[in-house]
Amino acid sequence: MSEEGYMSLALSLAKRRKGLTHPNPTVGCVVVKNGEIVGLGYHEGAGYPHAEVVALEQAGEKAQNSTLYVTLEPCSHFGRTPPCTDAIIRAGVKRVVVATLDPNPLVAGRGVEKLRNSGIEVEVGLLEEEAKLINEDFFTYITGKRPYVTLKLAQTVDGRIATLTGESKWITSKASRKYAHRLRAQATAVLVGINTVLKDDPALTVRHIPFPRNPLRVVIDPELEVPMNAKVLNTAEAPTLIVFSKRNPSKEEELIKAGIKLLHMEEISVSALLEGLHELEVVHLLVEGGAFTVTNFLKEGFWDRLIIFQAPKIMGEGISIGDLGIRSMEEVVKLKLRNELRLGDDRVFEFVPYSEKRGLRW
């Protein structure tokens, strides 16, 4: 197997835990000696051993004079677990190949430096773009000090996301809804506005695919209108956070007794919301609606990925994205199509922001 082959295997191992390692990145590791794979590992989640430690334990004595391939720079600091660099040095690894450096200021080149200072040969940059893509949410969380934001829309070909009465079940097919649950599984939290809760009463859980956990459910509810029998308040299924601005002591007490987390803001804005979610270690936020909520994220420019599910249907009059304040072509938000697929009769488009000056944003 080639060098790229070993790193590709490490990347595939990292993908296995996508959405399960937050607030940590997802990492894969392969240990090779004399052309033989002697150790494989991936990070299970926060508080569990890192990928390098798992792979080295599997390799045992064969790790001596081996080459270690890892998708992200090994940590050199004490966090929830000891430094991976120390384990690599103790194991007697001869060479380390790193896909990409860790943006975390606690690491950020220090891991590579420590390994090199111990006499280990280190190479950085093999399949770097692929490694960054796997952890693009973590990179944004660390460097932007906010969650990575995915906006999700299900719409007709004429751009409508609901009827005039607000009905939206179901615009897209069952296959599309299953794919949408994969998106939920990758997110730390899923967010909707109170109008979506009142009209659709969504559970916001991962149901259409097997997955061991549900994301945190976040509801923007300025006046605490959420009914106490709403599905999102069923804390046996998943935790819920209500973001509100208007004080209502009796309702607040009732929600707290029901096990609901509350976040009060004098004035709710997207920037303030993302700052609060960052403090709660939300790495990846999936915004599912409704129109008013999605419009606010687009208007304030706080988003990293836009996924549109398009059904071959025409609604004519209905609800769509609101006014973004764009009055000229120079103000139009430019998108880069990153991926496209068909799910039955539906089409799914994945867009990222594009700037001629900056190129693609991670």
Side-chain angles (χ1 to χ4, degrees):
M1 187 180 292
S2 65
E3 295 255 285
E4 287 194 358
Y6 292 130
M7 188 61 79
S8 292
L9 176 57
L11 290 168
S12 68
L13 290 171
K15 289 177 183 177
R16 291 185 183 183
R17 302 299 289 178
K18 187 62 183 174
L20 292 170
T21 62
H22 298 162
N24 292 351
T26 182
V27 182
C29 181
V30 175
V31 181
V32 179
K33 185 172 184 180
N34 298 327
E36 176 192 359
I37 296 174
V38 296
L40 298 172
Y42 53 80
H43 182 41
E44 288 276 354
Y48 288 91
H50 288 189
E52 301 94 316
V53 174
V54 175
L56 288 171
E57 287 182 352
Q58 186 180 111
E61 293 182 358
K62 292 182 180 180
Q64 185 77 31
N65 294 319
S66 66
T67 296
L68 182 146
Y69 298 84
V70 64
T71 59
L72 189 67
E73 178 182 10
C75 65
S76 56
H77 66 288
F78 281 89
R80 290 181 172 95
T81 58
C84 292
T85 50
D86 291 1
I88 294 171
I89 294 169
R90 284 196 306 270
V93 173
K94 181 180 180 180
R95 177 169 169 257
V96 174
V97 181
V98 178
T100 185
L101 296 179
D102 191 331
N104 189 336
L106 295 174
V107 186
R110 296 180 184 179
V112 166
E113 182 182 13
K114 186 173 182 179
L115 293 174
R116 285 174 174 159
N117 289 340
S118 70
I120 296 175
E121 179 186 350
V122 181
E123 296 178 19
V124 179
L126 181 62
L127 301 186
E128 181 175 14
E129 295 306 307
E130 291 89 336
K132 284 182 175 179
L133 186 60
I134 288 177
N135 276 309
E136 61 181 344
D137 48 4
F138 174 74
F139 275 56
T140 296
Y141 174 74
I142 293 295
T143 61
K145 292 182 171 52
R146 65 166 177 84
Y148 177 91
V149 177
T150 294
L151 304 180
K152 181 184 80 69
L153 293 172
Q155 65 179 39
T156 58
V157 292
D158 56 341
R160 303 297 178 176
I161 64 174
T163 65
L164 286 171
T165 59
E167 184 180 351
S168 60
K169 292 183 177 180
W170 295 102
I171 289 176
T172 54
S173 66
K174 187 175 181 179
S176 289
R177 296 197 293 277
K178 183 176 180 179
Y179 188 84
H181 279 232
R182 287 176 56 190
L183 297 178
R184 283 184 186 174
Q186 294 176 2
T188 321
V190 55
L191 179 145
V192 296
I194 184 59
N195 288 335
T196 297
V197 173
L198 295 176
K199 291 176 182 176
D200 298 336
D201 192 24
L204 301 180
T205 55
V206 181
R207 301 182 302 281
H208 296 320
I209 62 170
F211 204 68
R213 70 150 183 88
N214 285 309
L216 170 71
R217 299 171 296 192
V218 182
V219 179
I220 307 299
D221 184 9
E223 298 186 3
L224 290 181
E225 300 175 85
V226 60
M228 292 306 298
N229 63 348
K231 292 178 182 177
V232 292
L233 299 189
N234 181 358
T235 55
E237 291 187 323
T240 300
L241 172 70
I242 305 292
V243 182
F244 71 105
S245 56
K246 185 177 180 180
R247 285 291 187 183
N248 184 335
S250 60
K251 186 64 173 287
E252 291 175 44
E253 183 178 359
E254 194 174 7
L255 288 167
I256 291 172
K257 286 183 178 179
I260 307 302
K261 301 175 183 178
L262 299 179
L263 177 59
H264 176 258
M265 293 183 176
E266 292 293 338
E267 183 177 347
I268 300 175
S269 68
V270 174
S271 58
L273 171 65
L274 293 180
E275 182 179 346
L277 293 178
H278 182 269
E279 293 177 359
L280 294 175
E281 296 188 329
V282 172
V283 174
H284 188 158
L285 178 67
L286 174 64
V287 180
E288 293 205 15
F292 180 77
T293 302
V294 173
T295 298
N296 282 337
F297 274 84
L298 287 168
K299 198 168 187 178
E300 292 197 35
F302 286 108
W303 64 280
D304 302 282
R305 182 173 62 159
L306 170 63
I307 296 183
I308 296 179
F309 293 79
Q310 186 182 76
K313 299 174 183 178
I314 293 176
M315 196 171 287
E317 293 296 323
I319 299 171
S320 60
I321 296 301
D323 183 10
L324 298 178
I326 295 172
R327 297 296 178 265
S328 68
M329 287 303 297
E330 286 73 22
E331 299 174 287
V332 169
V333 179
K334 297 178 66 176
L335 307 176
K336 177 72 175 181
L337 179 63
R338 190 163 75 176
N339 194 21
E340 178 181 351
L341 67 149
R342 297 187 72 99
L343 294 174
D345 292 330
D346 296 344
R347 299 181 74 182
V348 183
F349 303 94
E350 179 181 348
F351 297 99
V352 291
Y354 184 82
S355 166
E356 292 180 354
K357 293 182 180 180
R358 294 179 299 174
L360 284 176
R361 282 198 328 193
W362 286 111

